[in-house]
Amino acid sequence: MEGNISPDSVPSGPIDKSRVMTVKPLRCLVPVFPSHEGSSASPQPPQFAFGAPTGPFPPGAAQFFPFVGSSEPQRPTSVPDQRSNPNVNANANVNANASANASANASANAIPSPVPLNSFRTPAPPTNTSGRGRPRGSTKNPEPYDDGYTQNDSYENGFTIDTDDSSDVTRRKRKVRKLVKGPQAVAISNSEVDIDELVNNLLKSFNLVDINTSLQADSDHDLVQRVVMVYNLLRRKIMQLDDAKGVIPGISRRADLRSGTILMNKGARANTRRRVGAVPGVSIGDVFFFRMELCLAGLHAPIMAGIDYLSFKVSGDEEPIAVSIVSSGGYEDDGDDGEVLIYSGQGGVQRNDKLVMDQKLERGNLALERSLHKGNEVRVVRGIKDGTSLTGKIYVYDGVYKLHESWIEKGKSGCNVFKYKLIRIPGQPEGFMLWKLIQQWRDGVTTRVGVILPDLTSGAENLPICLVNDVDGEKGPAYFTYSSSLKHAKPFRSSKSLSCRCANGCQPATNCPCVERNGGYLPYSSGGVLLSHNSVIHECGPSCLCPSTCRNRISQAGLKLRLEVFRTKNKGWGLRSWDPIRAGAFICEYAGEVIENGSDSDDDYILDTTRSFDQLEPVPTNEHVKPPFPLTVSAKNKGNVGRFMNHSCSPNVYWQPILRENEEESYLHIGFYAIRHIPPLQELTYNYGTPRAEKKSGPQRKKCLCGSTKCRGHFY
């Protein structure tokens, strides 16, 4: 064959081996997003450009660019980003080159002249561009997989991520597989679930199809909330589908990454224009449970790296400036008094052989140093340990800071570490400081102001619920008898159903009759989060042999949140939580007395299941939530904390019927669940619904004081 080779095709001189690539097939999640339609490169070099994409990447994976990029070539970097998110297993740092939008935004966020501050001398940027990702074998800070599962870094452990349904090009149908795992295992379902159709229905339902370009570039709070809500609904549904397959060796399922990839491909995201300073639509104190949520909201672009930066054009040269950081506890950061953050630089650790080296002044470290001199604002996201998970994090947006000082010191490993002192800009609402204050209440270091009763339940609940009034002189609500659960005078009659015999608790992909009654799926994750919204949840009943800790008895386990009843400024008494609440989490039951014949009197504490309520998400039947039996509950004389939940036209809580069956008897209960992530001390509200036409003549309209931009002005 050598005679067929043209002499012109043989390169002369030595071969540059650094330009030789070995291409190997790899089944892994490689999110590659197309450029936004209608985007065009700016005819003039923009003042800001996206920073070069950085790792760590899994072997053979492409870079990840969620933002619109120009046609300029991307430059590789030399050192893997060891200041990466310890919880997310994505395959790249989310950085790209700037578009015309970035240039326009730069003029609105002008960088002040350099201000000389205490700093180490900045050397010239390194020229070495031979980079590699984090070595295989790393087990740094595994993330809780979605809502309860713990999943180590899948790339480093050699797992394969199942990428079905992540493509926007081909509509893929996922068929629930028949799994045989012993004598008790059976095929749970042969039905097909069209993920692409599910996604399209969600996007249509939440008006996320063909989003206005200008609104997507500079989003409002409503769009940010809708994007994050759809992400969580999709993530939980995909998790439920994966859960039903059982454990498949060698497959690492990451519903958090896959859902984000799908929405990115669909263009369902907010704040596509990158910027310096605050992000529109994101409020200080907002909470996120996944790094992908920060990316979709436009708050912090990289889904791994802790430092997000842009490139600043100066005399034709590019210099990076930091725009946001995530302090998640992976490094030796120090929060000080909540207004000052001592932030450690990135890099310097090679986990496979425990080799530790000095950090280098490049990429994110260099960007922070440049921001120190430029004096630009830097967004700060605090990573706080999630008390419901061994390894999970809650990300809290804490506002904007400015860098005041930087230095080098020896870390615990003995190597040089860059340190940056950031001080919070005064005048902003409380963010992280509120979390510190609540922790002081828990620890008894500080007394909660305005407490009337430390526990109005008198020990009836798992956790105390304090009664607080720091508004006026009212000493408490009208007298009522506290009851932690709904008491039925008589059960509903139903066809005889089998009770489960799951001694270790109900599990997916088994022949458990309670799983079958829920359509072949368990309704809750192992972390107790509701995975999908059906017309009714079938929980295990009194005759089931599973323990009280069974994941299909979530509403029966009592309160898991530290709630408080508080005096509002204009709506009487309300309910809120000291704890952050994850979307889909169970909050409490609506307890009270069942009213026969559905009497709808002037009782202000009525919950009538026959009322009309807005859907949270599209359901296959295209019907509103309807329980199997009509139920009207009054909590006027007897009830629990659910009676204090006020109405809102834009609620953060919804109710769900729960059925517990016992032989030929059924007991219907009402559970409250979070619509979206709810920060601490934010009032919990739900929509009271609209009475049926024949009942509208009974209850009188009441003026609505919810204050929502979508307020209808009244409720029943």
Side-chain angles (χ1 to χ4, degrees):
M1 296 298 293
E2 292 181 1
N4 296 329
I5 300 176
S6 172
D8 296 335
S9 64
V10 180
S12 59
I15 299 176
D16 184 1
K17 295 183 179 181
S18 66
R19 298 175 60 86
V20 178
M21 295 188 297
T22 301
V23 180
K24 297 180 180 180
L26 176 67
R27 288 186 61 217
C28 64
L29 177 64
V30 184
V32 179
F33 305 121
S35 298
H36 193 280
E37 294 183 5
S39 65
S40 60
S42 174
Q44 300 296 330
Q47 183 180 2
F48 287 99
F50 296 112
T54 60
F57 306 114
Q63 289 93 339
F64 178 29
F65 310 117
F67 289 94
V68 179
S70 70
S71 58
E72 297 178 7
Q74 306 297 327
R75 299 175 301 172
T77 54
S78 57
V79 179
D81 186 355
Q82 295 299 337
R83 184 176 186 87
S84 60
N85 169 26
N87 297 335
V88 175
N89 223 357
N91 44 358
N93 180 354
V94 185
N95 288 315
N97 288 336
S99 62
N101 284 340
S103 178
N105 181 61
S107 61
N109 298 280
I111 305 300
S113 301
V115 179
L117 298 171
N118 295 332
S119 166
F120 50 81
R121 183 178 179 182
T122 304
T127 57
N128 179 17
T129 58
S130 59
R132 60 191 180 95
R134 188 162 37 148
R136 295 175 65 87
S138 170
T139 57
K140 179 183 178 182
N141 295 339
E143 176 190 25
Y145 170 56
D146 291 300
D147 300 300
Y149 293 100
T150 298
Q151 175 61 59
N152 286 327
D153 290 345
S154 58
Y155 293 125
E156 286 70 29
N157 287 285
F159 296 124
T160 302
I161 291 183
D162 185 357
T163 58
D164 289 349
D165 316 315
S166 62
S167 173
D168 186 36
V169 180
T170 304
R171 298 180 66 186
R172 304 173 184 268
K173 291 185 176 181
R174 311 195 66 175
K175 189 170 184 178
V176 180
R177 303 171 186 172
K178 295 181 178 181
L179 300 177
V180 180
K181 291 178 175 287
Q184 294 184 342
V186 296
I188 63 168
S189 176
N190 289 325
S191 62
E192 293 183 347
V193 178
D194 191 332
I195 294 294
D196 196 61
E197 181 180 357
L198 171 66
V199 173
N200 290 336
N201 287 338
L202 279 173
L203 296 180
K204 183 178 179 181
S205 177
F206 284 86
N207 297 320
L208 293 179
V209 180
D210 298 326
I211 307 171
N212 179 276
T213 304
S214 60
L215 177 61
Q216 193 170 33
D218 299 287
S219 305
D220 57 15
H221 190 251
D222 178 65
L223 178 59
V224 172
Q225 281 197 338
R226 282 186 283 131
V227 168
V228 176
M229 282 177 60
V230 168
Y231 167 78
N232 277 287
L233 290 169
L234 177 60
R235 177 186 57 78
R236 283 146 50 195
K237 186 61 180 178
I238 290 179
M239 181 183 174
Q240 187 179 50
L241 295 173
D242 288 343
D243 201 20
K245 295 179 180 179
V247 177
I248 301 178
I251 298 294
S252 173
R253 302 191 181 106
R254 292 298 302 272
D256 55 333
L257 299 184
R258 290 162 53 200
S259 302
T261 302
I262 292 171
L263 294 186
M264 284 287 190
N265 284 333
K266 294 284 188 180
R269 55 195 178 96
N271 289 309
T272 55
R273 183 161 62 121
R274 300 187 64 189
R275 72 197 72 237
V276 176
V279 172
V282 180
S283 302
I284 295 175
D286 282 353
V287 294
F288 306 87
F289 285 81
F290 297 91
R291 284 288 294 268
M292 185 63 81
E293 293 174 332
L294 302 178
C295 182
L296 289 168
L299 185 61
H300 185 82
I303 54 176
M304 288 193 72
I307 306 173
D308 186 12
Y309 57 92
L310 301 175
S311 291
F312 179 54
K313 294 275 188 177
V314 179
S315 303
D317 296 328
E318 291 185 2
E319 289 189 356
I321 60 167
V323 294
S324 66
I325 61 173
V326 176
S327 177
S328 58
Y331 283 66
E332 301 168 18
D333 298 339
D334 186 359
D336 290 347
D337 60 357
E339 300 293 329
V340 177
L341 174 65
I342 307 300
Y343 190 78
S344 301
Q346 62 182 188
V349 181
Q350 300 294 330
R351 295 280 177 176
N352 58 340
D353 53 7
K354 305 298 182 182
L355 176 64
V356 182
M357 61 187 68
D358 292 340
Q359 292 183 352
K360 298 180 180 180
L361 191 62
E362 57 187 6
R363 298 183 298 109
N365 295 340
L366 181 60
L368 286 172
E369 171 65 11
R370 291 290 190 258
S371 291
L372 171 61
H373 292 290
K374 298 292 182 184
N376 64 281
E377 296 178 346
V378 178
R379 299 185 296 272
V380 170
V381 178
R382 302 264 193 169
I384 301 172
K385 179 176 173 53
D386 185 357
T388 63
S389 171
L390 295 177
T391 58
K393 290 288 177 62
I394 304 171
Y395 300 97
V396 184
Y397 175 49
D398 197 31
V400 292
Y401 285 59
K402 280 192 176 182
L403 285 125
H404 277 247
E405 188 179 357
S406 61
W407 65 93
I408 297 177
E409 68 178 40
K410 292 290 184 181
K412 294 179 180 179
S413 62
C415 294
N416 290 337
V417 176
F418 293 119
K419 292 286 187 176
Y420 303 90
K421 181 179 180 180
L422 296 95
I423 298 181
R424 195 168 188 261
I425 295 178
Q428 302 180 84
E430 286 186 336
F432 180 63
M433 277 297 296
L434 181 61
W435 290 66
K436 293 177 70 70
L437 179 61
I438 293 174
Q439 188 58 49
Q440 291 175 353
W441 296 345
R442 292 179 184 277
D443 298 339
V445 176
T446 303
T447 303
R448 175 75 169 100
V449 176
V451 173
I452 300 173
L453 284 175
D455 184 12
L456 64 81
T457 75
S458 300
E461 298 283 6
N462 298 336
L463 298 171
I465 300 174
C466 60
L467 181 67
V468 178
N469 184 358
D470 55 5
V471 174
D472 55 31
E474 187 69 31
K475 295 301 182 181
Y479 177 81
F480 73 101
T481 301
Y482 195 94
S483 176
S484 59
S485 182
L486 178 64
K487 306 299 181 183
H488 285 268
K490 59 181 180 180
F492 296 100
R493 303 298 298 177
S494 64
S495 58
K496 186 174 182 179
S497 58
L498 296 176
S499 300
C500 77
R501 300 182 178 276
C502 306
N504 296 321
C506 299
Q507 300 297 327
T510 66
N511 63 350
C512 171
C514 297
V515 174
E516 293 297 326
R517 281 194 288 271
N518 284 290
Y521 304 99
L522 274 175
Y524 299 102
S525 72
S526 60
V529 172
L530 191 63
L531 297 177
S532 62
H533 310 94
N534 302 322
S535 59
V536 64
I537 300 171
H538 293 267
E539 286 194 347
C540 294
S543 60
C544 291
L545 300 183
C546 57
S548 60
T549 56
C550 175
R551 61 187 276 190
N552 199 34
R553 293 184 182 271
I554 295 301
S555 71
Q556 305 170 40
L559 296 182
K560 301 296 183 183
L561 301 168
R562 181 67 187 270
L563 303 173
E564 76 170 22
V565 174
F566 73 105
R567 185 71 173 176
T568 67
K569 293 182 179 180
N570 55 0
K571 295 182 295 183
W573 298 94
L575 184 67
R576 58 190 178 191
S577 171
W578 290 11
D579 300 306
I581 306 176
R582 184 190 292 254
F586 173 75
I587 297 174
C588 67
E589 184 180 342
Y590 193 84
E593 298 174 300
V594 177
I595 298 178
E596 298 294 336
N597 302 321
S599 175
D600 204 356
S601 62
D602 292 333
D603 189 344
D604 290 333
Y605 298 94
I606 286 286
L607 194 155
D608 184 359
T609 62
T610 64
R611 289 190 173 201
S612 176
F613 295 85
D614 296 333
Q615 290 179 208
L616 180 59
E617 63 171 314
V619 293
T621 58
N622 294 321
E623 296 179 353
H624 295 294
V625 174
K626 292 182 179 179
F629 319 106
L631 184 68
T632 303
V633 180
S634 171
K636 182 177 182 179
N637 300 317
K638 180 184 293 184
N640 67 343
V641 290
R643 73 194 297 274
F644 294 106
M645 219 178 288
N646 286 314
H647 167 83
S648 175
C649 300
S650 298
N652 51 20
V653 175
Y654 68 101
W655 67 269
Q656 176 81 46
I658 303 169
L659 195 63
R660 305 170 192 166
E661 297 175 276
N662 181 27
E663 299 299 336
E664 297 180 358
E665 299 176 345
S666 297
Y667 300 86
L668 189 64
H669 295 257
I670 302 298
F672 284 123
Y673 299 84
I675 292 177
R676 54 181 177 268
H677 302 327
I678 305 174
L681 296 189
Q682 185 176 103
E683 185 178 3
L684 306 179
T685 58
Y686 75 103
N687 189 335
Y688 286 178
T690 304
R692 291 178 297 182
E694 63 269 22
K695 287 190 173 185
K696 283 190 177 181
S697 58
Q700 300 296 315
R701 276 188 175 189
K702 299 178 178 64
K703 184 179 180 181
C704 182
L705 301 172
C706 69
S708 166
T709 56
K710 298 180 179 180
C711 182
R712 292 187 288 268
H714 68 272
F715 67 94
Y716 289 96

